[in-house]
Amino acid sequence: MKHILASFAAGTALLLGGCGDPALSPAGVDKLTYHNSAGREGWNDRERMLTPAAVAGGQFGEIWQSPRLDFHRSTPPRLFASPLYVSALHFDEGAQAGQTLRVAFVVSSTGYAYAIHAGQRAGLSAGTILWKRRLTADPCQDGQFGNLSTPVIDRSANRLYVTSCRGDWTWDVHALDLRTGEEVSGWPVEISHRTVTAQVNRNGVSRFVPGQIYYQRGALNLSRDGGRLYVAFGPDLQGFLVSVDTAAHRVASAFSSMPRADLQQGGMWGASGPAIDAQGRIYIATGASFLSALEKRGIPGVFPEVAGAWGQSILQFRDDPKAGLRLTGTYSPFNYCQTAASDIDIAGSGAVLFDLDRGSAGTPHLLTLGAGKQGNAYLLDRDHMPGGTHKRHTCSTDPASDGSLLAPGVQPELKSRGPVVVFEPYSDSIGMVNSAKSRATLAHFRNRLGEHYLFLAGSAKTGPDFGTNVPPSLVRVRVMTRKSEPAYLKVDGREMTVTMQNPGSPVVSSNGGENGVVWVLDTNVPRSVDIYQPDAPGARLHAFDAKSLKPLWQSGDALFTSGKYNEPAVVDGMVLVGTDRLQAFGLRAPGAVAPQLQHPAAASAANVGKSLFDGRCAACHSKAGSGAPPVSVIAGYAQAQIVYALKVGKMKEMGSGLDDAQLAQIAAYVHSTSAK
């Protein structure tokens, strides 16, 4: 259990000038849930070391990493779940008995949970695995879906709540002791067709159907008193929000996005999961159906006339201890019919909750969501959700009829009042797979002047099918306020030099309202690329000045391959990134030599070409009946012709994000197969 690599220890001491941990104190910053808070603001306002000047000053870089995490057979680990962190965890027993340590918690796609030392002590290097627990011996999809969601920590109970998937697509909710990794008595709680029944559901007669696949990607969230744990499911059949009683360790109630099991819409699949406000209300976004769009079922397949059909919506709930989940408010965009029919759903971008200063506006309790696959940002008054609780409004094509809080002026892309278009161009019909603008949850930031800003990550698009990413990939939106008037949104700035391929949620670190830095982890490949290929590209971590949007730093080739929709944890002068291990970045002591850490090995050109082809092209060109020419045919093309097709021709979408050398490596690999 003590995986310590000597090369890690040499670099770890560079943090804080090699002096080891400073005295641990309550001043440390914990990250106990996805996006930093139950309301999913994505903001740490207690970061004093990582100022824009420090991050850009040449001393910021990788300071330690853990060993690579466990495989499942031949499947490598990937961290879809974002790292969590406790700044001062006291150990009562075991090898660390009597010590108080900085500890990060990660969970892998191969079905393991880990506690990793995130500080520096004599004889205990940063990156040391303190404990690990195998959550399932038979993780779903041969180890690709053992876990997809970010856990949540109940600090008062010293518990880590985390899910895992068994090979029969049964999900278990575990409660692990933070200090030992041992399962708490009475856990895990099973979530399956045996526990999510029509009797448990509070919307119609939907239930988990035996034999069907339900994905648990959304981050877990916990009620303020720790009594209810919320677990979301999606994507293509329908969504379920499940409420787990943590005292009785059982499923207490559930709410399905559709009232019958035969209706396909409304997956609750976004990485941020449900959000909870200070008033105890729960919010979650629902999506569309990829299968319905592929089968071209059109607007009838969205079921706009069905009562209790809540696809492509934001739902608000109360959770009564006896009655269970009760729908108390809704919002559906004006164009939910058209966008849901084309799988341009909003569910990939979770709800973010924040409050304005008293008296600054007539809508003090706000909810915002953006940008979703369509690339729009929405602002809602949480106290007055615009939709009813019986059924969605009639389909509309008029942006000005949208029920969100609209800016007073015309939106240029809409030629009308309407939601703010953040990533262009606007379309109601193109936005699936690589054409989607965003699958990230925005971050909220309040500066020292009391002005509220939102940061959204994604990409603008170009080309007839929107298959090519172009700047901006980071946009800042200001929340405009006026006393006694509703707040509204206005685009305030665009970063126009960086192109991201499939970024996770941005997070903001600052010292109060000053020295803001925006951090974004990009998987560095389009949505369609298989990140389990042996030579899949490493992720990229970006840092931007929150005030100027100027790029401050990026990780280059330092990161290994990561999961999708991941976000970094920015805590106590460190940036923790989950890839196939935990990698930490921070400030090195002046004059210190960079630590000797393991980095992704440079593969041969032939291996890179094969890896890129397998990840981007093989799904069609190596599959009979796909309609695409087989490898044996395209191997006869000139290499320059293959490069042209990937760079500017019909395959431009699949070549998006690759440089000329990588395109040439694909062409060389394809050409080499003609001799086999």
Side-chain angles (χ1 to χ4, degrees), residues 376-406:
N376 299 342
Y378 306 92
L379 186 69
L380 302 173
D381 179 355
R382 301 199 314 265
D383 296 332
H384 302 92
M385 296 289 284
T389 57
H390 176 63
K391 63 184 289 188
R392 292 168 294 183
H393 61 74
T394 302
C395 298
S396 173
T397 58
D398 178 12
S401 70
D402 194 82
S404 60
L405 302 177
L406 303 182

Side-chain angles (χ1 to χ4, degrees), residues 41 43 45 354-358 360 443-455 479 508 510-516 546:
E41 286 187 80
W43 178 23
D45 65 350
F354 65 97
D355 296 338
L356 302 176
D357 293 337
R358 181 176 297 180
S360 64
H444 166 246
F445 170 65
R446 178 182 181 274
N447 69 14
R448 63 183 181 82
L449 301 177
E451 299 164 337
H452 293 259
Y453 292 92
L454 312 174
F455 294 91
V479 182
V508 180
S510 69
N511 184 4
E514 297 185 297
N515 289 323

Side-chain angles (χ1 to χ4, degrees), residues 566-586:
N566 198 341
E567 70 176 19
V570 186
V571 288
D572 292 344
M574 295 182 293
V575 184
L576 305 178
V577 180
T579 54
D580 66 350
R581 65 201 69 199
L582 185 64
Q583 299 183 245
F585 297 80

